[in-house]
Amino acid sequence: MTATTKTKRYFIFSNDRLLVPAEADLSAGVELLSDLAQEIFSEYADQTVHIYANEHVEHHLVDMQKEKVEHDSVRSISLREVVMMMPKEDFQHVAQAWQYAVFLRTHRFCGRCGSRMDRVFWEMAMHCHSCQHRSYPRVSPCIIVAIRRLNKILLAQGERQKESGFFSILAGFVESGETLEQAVHREVFEEVGIKVKNVEYFSSQPWPFPHSLMVGYLAEYDSGNIVVDGKEIIQADWFDIDDLPVVPPKFSIAGGLIEETQKIMAKKTV
């Protein structure tokens, strides 16, 4: 029986950007990464890290860190371009590669005793042979919630979005000892001073900026008046679902939650 040769894809990060073929159509997804010439990263050949495999493909990580590559055959793109242009399932592979790159960069030395750590080759981990401490890639769970009230949705704006006029739904990191649902109630109350009810899971999305896992929820307004915290949120209000300001695109989980809220409200008006 003839062995099948696996396709090799190289996730090369140069100056924190992903390298792709110069004329690449990003809608083709990670398949285009198999067309990268190995001469581009020949100096990093001994630092290539195997990060994923199935019966058909192998994924390899090449992290050039802050080095900028100038080569006629490639161009670099940001992770946000990846999430906007690549298919969702392909973006997840890029997200994994980037999160592994960040992990390997930040765990060269042991957080317990300070000794140099070595990579574990049968799993994604770093091991300290001095004190036997082992570290794994960090994943930070973060809730994000769309809150509806009659035909309106609660949207908020942070300081960074003020100039662009961009609004989004509420989000925040889960704290130690907290369930995801408890985090929804706490974050909403802390950021805008209201209480919610009928909290319902929607979906999740890896968000490698740098290592979040966004867990999406739908909820209904229960009680209270909007009072922003003035730190993370500078303004928030109820917006008519058919007259929204600039909001996240649908490919993001925030955009998906807003779209789902619109569908829920449309059903109630039929």
Side-chain angles (χ1 to χ4, degrees), residues 2-270:
T2 304
T4 303
T5 302
K6 293 184 179 182
T7 299
K8 292 185 178 181
R9 297 170 182 161
Y10 291 93
F11 294 74
I12 307 172
F13 293 101
S14 165
N15 196 33
D16 298 348
R17 295 167 63 89
L18 181 70
L19 294 186
V20 297
E23 305 301 324
D25 176 1
L26 297 185
S27 65
V30 295
E31 179 59 37
L32 57 84
L33 299 181
S34 60
D35 296 329
L36 292 171
Q38 294 195 23
E39 65 184 65
I40 299 169
F41 57 93
S42 59
E43 294 182 9
Y44 290 81
D46 61 341
Q47 299 177 38
T48 302
V49 179
H50 179 272
I51 58 174
Y52 172 82
N54 61 26
E55 59 182 326
H56 302 295
V57 301
E58 291 181 358
H59 289 180
H60 299 271
L61 167 66
V62 181
D63 183 17
M64 298 180 176
Q65 300 201 30
K66 294 299 181 181
E67 180 179 341
K68 293 184 179 180
V69 174
E70 295 183 3
H71 196 283
D72 292 340
S73 68
V74 295
R75 61 187 172 96
S76 67
I77 59 174
S78 69
L79 289 177
R80 294 192 181 276
E81 288 177 274
V82 173
V83 73
M84 287 190 293
M85 303 297 292
M86 282 192 178
K88 183 178 180 180
E89 60 275 14
D90 289 29
F91 167 69
Q92 291 180 329
H93 286 299
V94 179
Q96 180 189 58
W98 174 244
Q99 287 178 259
Y100 284 169
V102 171
F103 167 67
L104 294 172
R105 287 183 189 183
T106 55
H107 287 78
R108 293 181 297 165
F109 297 95
C110 180
R112 178 186 289 173
C113 73
S115 300
R116 181 173 289 278
M117 301 187 84
D118 296 312
R119 189 164 61 84
V120 178
F121 290 97
W122 59 89
E123 61 180 346
M124 182 51 67
M126 295 291 283
H127 185 78
C128 175
H129 293 284
S130 295
C131 70
Q132 306 307 310
H133 177 61
R134 183 167 294 190
S135 296
Y136 294 88
R138 175 180 175 182
V139 177
S140 302
C142 181
I143 60 87
I144 182 166
V145 55
I147 306 166
R148 60 187 185 276
R149 182 183 187 183
L150 300 176
N151 68 326
K152 296 181 182 292
I153 185 171
L154 184 108
L155 297 175
Q157 185 180 78
E159 185 66 42
R160 291 183 299 175
Q161 291 79 40
K162 185 177 180 179
E163 186 174 337
S164 65
F166 183 86
F167 281 79
S168 188
I169 53 181
L170 301 181
F173 288 103
V174 180
E175 294 186 351
S176 299
E178 194 174 49
T179 68
L180 294 166
E181 291 74 20
Q182 288 171 336
V184 170
H185 289 282
R186 176 186 54 75
E187 280 288 343
V188 170
F189 188 75
E190 287 180 355
E191 294 189 349
V192 295
I194 68 169
K195 294 183 179 181
V196 294
K197 62 183 179 180
N198 298 329
V199 177
E200 179 185 357
Y201 172 77
F202 174 69
S203 69
S204 60
Q205 181 181 45
W207 200 246
F209 302 103
H211 40 59
S212 297
L213 174 63
M214 306 297 292
V215 184
Y217 285 90
L218 298 160
E220 293 183 72
Y221 166 81
D222 183 24
S223 62
N225 297 315
I226 295 176
V227 180
V228 299
D229 63 7
K231 300 175 184 177
E232 296 184 43
I233 305 298
I234 60 171
Q235 63 173 317
D237 206 345
W238 297 102
F239 290 84
D240 189 293
I241 200 66
D242 295 317
D243 187 21
L244 299 179
V246 180
V247 295
K250 294 179 181 179
F251 61 73
S252 69
I253 191 169
L257 281 161
I258 293 171
E259 182 181 38
E260 184 64 19
T261 300
Q262 290 176 315
K263 291 179 181 178
I264 292 172
M265 291 179 177
K267 289 179 181 178
K268 289 185 177 181
T269 58
V270 173

